[in-house]
Amino acid sequence: MIRRLFPAAATIGAAIFAMAFASDAAWADKRVALIVGNSSYQAVPQLPNPSRDANAVAKMFKDAGFDSVELQLDVGNLEFKRAIRRFETTADQADIAVVYYAGHGLEIGGTNYLIPTDARLASDRDADDEAIPLERLVSSADGAKRLRLVILDACRDNPFVRTMRRESKVASRGVSGGLGRVEPTSTDTLIAYAAKAGSTADDGDGQHSPFTTAILKNLPVPGLDVRLAFGRVRDEVLKTTANRQEPFVYGSLGGGNVSLVPAPAVPQEVPVTEVKSDYELVQKIGTQRAWEVFLGTHPTGFYAELAKAQIERIKTQPVNPPPGPPNVVLAALPPQQAPSVSRDASSKEAIEWDRVKDATDPAALQKFIKRFPDSPLAANAQQKIDVLKKAAQEREDQARAAREAAQKAAEEARRKAEQEKAEQAAQKKREDDERRAREAEAAEKAKAAAAQLAAQKKREEEEKHAAAAEAVRQAKEAEAARKAQEAKDKAEQAEREKAAAEAAAARAAAEKQASAAEAARQAKEAEAARKAQEAKDKAEQAEREKAAAEAATARAAAEKQAKEAEAARKAQEAKEKAERAEREKAAAEAAAARAAAEKQAKEAEAARKQAELAAAKEAACKDEQGRFDAILARGSEGSGINDLKGFSKTVTCGRLGPAVIAALDRFNAEATTRAANEPNSPQLLRSAQGELIRLGCFTGKADGALASTQAALSRYLSIEGQRSANPAVTKDAVAELTKHATRVCPIECKSGETLKGDTCVADQKPAAPPAAASRKHDENEDNVPSRRKHASREAEREPPPRRQKPAQVEAPQVRQQALARPSIVPSAGGGAHTMIGVGF
């Protein structure tokens, strides 16, 4: 019966496990392969990998012991067709026939073509003549009895698509750079694409394409079923290309464990990772026959026991359709009999098992075992508990290994850093020594070079004079030689002109004869080439007509088979609708269980990481808190402020931030207060000046100057009976000044003046004769400015008088003298006002 092909939307893993599984058959006696790799295209840029890929695959099949391996590289149209024809004969009556093609391929109007190296494909109409239909390559392996495998690494980005003219009506339906979906018409046939239908494959940057690299690794594994091998190929290509390229397999096998390389006589131990990968792939299908094929490939071991348990579980389950991936038709399976429920398992046990069978909590499974210890399902529950415990232990071991590796890496990095630091120090010392040695050597060389330069300069001067004299002599000789040569040249020129005229005449005659001979030869060659081309064109035309006839016959057969396949497909789809719904339900439940388990694992891992991060932060906070407390204990004196500033720049603990800022403000305030209370500080100087002005001991401007403040303070102390030359302005001294409420320092009058009350008045002088007094008065009137200036200079030179009691005015007729400067008298409010004296 014609088998239903896998839908394009299904993944390769589903396609592989949707193929029929049956018991192993005897190993094939005859295995043949045809390998084609096209790299050197004539009309488009060359491909780097197909030739290398084809060589590697051919070597793989030869090493695997294939009876016949034919390798064809960079074949044109005719050579390609002849190779296919030879392989049809070779594959006839063989047990396994494999065809591998690497190169360009495209789809035109639903037909897939493989492109020879001499194809031009200027128009889509040229495809039937210049390209090879994929159907012909597939049919070349029809003679094989057990397995027909076609591997196509031909889904590359095709440059022919960009340059090809669209002329035919068929091409209007679409031209694709990749290969389209294919439906094998023969049984036991698999067609593997490097990328799924309609997409392109990556040529790769390495020695081989990603698809061929995976095939070389997995296909020749001894005893590995070809369907499992292509499942591994799919997973590796998806991983290598970051899910950009997904290999695809079309077709089905009728049953049996089919491997391209026989299993060894002595079974070899298979890596656990590979067995686990195969187990997970088979688990996606879950049918009894799938598990039996898995046991045929891996008959012993932990996962073999799990597979046996799965078979027992299927046998004990109620009547249900076999689970499988959605939208996949089990192509070669006859209707499967529903397994009967075990007589040992009651309906109550079965209901309870259905409830806990997908649980990820070992406690629920353990509870089931305690409740039904004698049930056959108890063994399944115990096996699942063992699997869960082992998985948990593996995760714990991996986490511990990761932590140990991280710790070792950190220690190694620290050791390397210290070593590099020491090496850098030693290197720096060596460089310094070498630099000093080079500097000394350079100095010596500079001295020697200076001496050599002086000697060289002297020699150059001497040589220059000698060269000048020699140049004059040579110029005279050259002039004489030139004149002689000119005479000689004139004679030779005349001779040459005569000989040239004779040679030109001879050449003209020879060229005329050669031209006639060449024209006759070219005419003969053109005629011969025309006849040869006509013969070649006739042969190619006959070959094309023969190929077209074969293609027409093949298409007619294909159309007939396609109609039969479509009828079978519709009948099969009606039967499988009910089964598909159940499979989707089972798949959804399994996916939900897996999602829940993954979510729990992720939450546990996140909680663990969060706890570790919190512990690390808390440890850092404790360490920084200890450093902060130590800085606070030392206080702001000394280096306390700098230590606190440095700590504030490196602190990482969030809760210490406000406390650090507050402590820094307090330290700065304390430092400012200490600086203000230091003797002779600017603040104390201004405060003392203000108080001394209030007490009448300071007459200048309050500018914070130290010298004037010390002079005023010395005056105050001398009045208080405490003499001091340059007293220090301290906080205590300012406090003592503030205790006085009234003026302390007296007003100081100039010489010839007497303080009366708060006013300095001039002393009384004897009376003069009227005339003399008048003249003197006039003189005084004239000389007032000069006398005032002289008095001012005298006042500046004279030191301030000591405190004295105000003199009594003896005569009422004495006139007051105008004061030369204002007198500051304290007011009731502690302020001061200016009083001007009365002049003569």
Side-chain angles (χ1 to χ4, degrees), residues 22 105 122 225 292 331 335 362 420 429 497 504 534 586 621 651 664 672 683 704 732 742 762 764 779 806:
D225 188 276
E292 288 172 352
E420 290 177 357
K429 185 176 183 301
E497 290 175 354
E534 288 178 355
C621 283
V651 66
L664 192 59
T672 303
Q683 292 87 341
D732 295 338
T742 60
Q764 185 178 5
E779 292 173 359

Side-chain angles (χ1 to χ4, degrees), residues 163-186:
T163 60
M164 181 187 300
R165 297 192 306 274
R166 311 305 197 262
E167 295 179 351
S168 66
K169 295 181 179 179
V170 176
S172 63
R173 289 181 291 172
V175 176
S176 173
L179 296 179
R181 175 183 173 183
V182 65
E183 296 187 356
T185 57
S186 57

Side-chain angles (χ1 to χ4, degrees), residues 118 149 281 414 444 543 557 702 718 788:
D118 58 359
L149 176 61
L281 289 172
R414 184 169 59 254
E444 293 296 330
E543 184 66 26
S718 63
R788 288 181 180 175

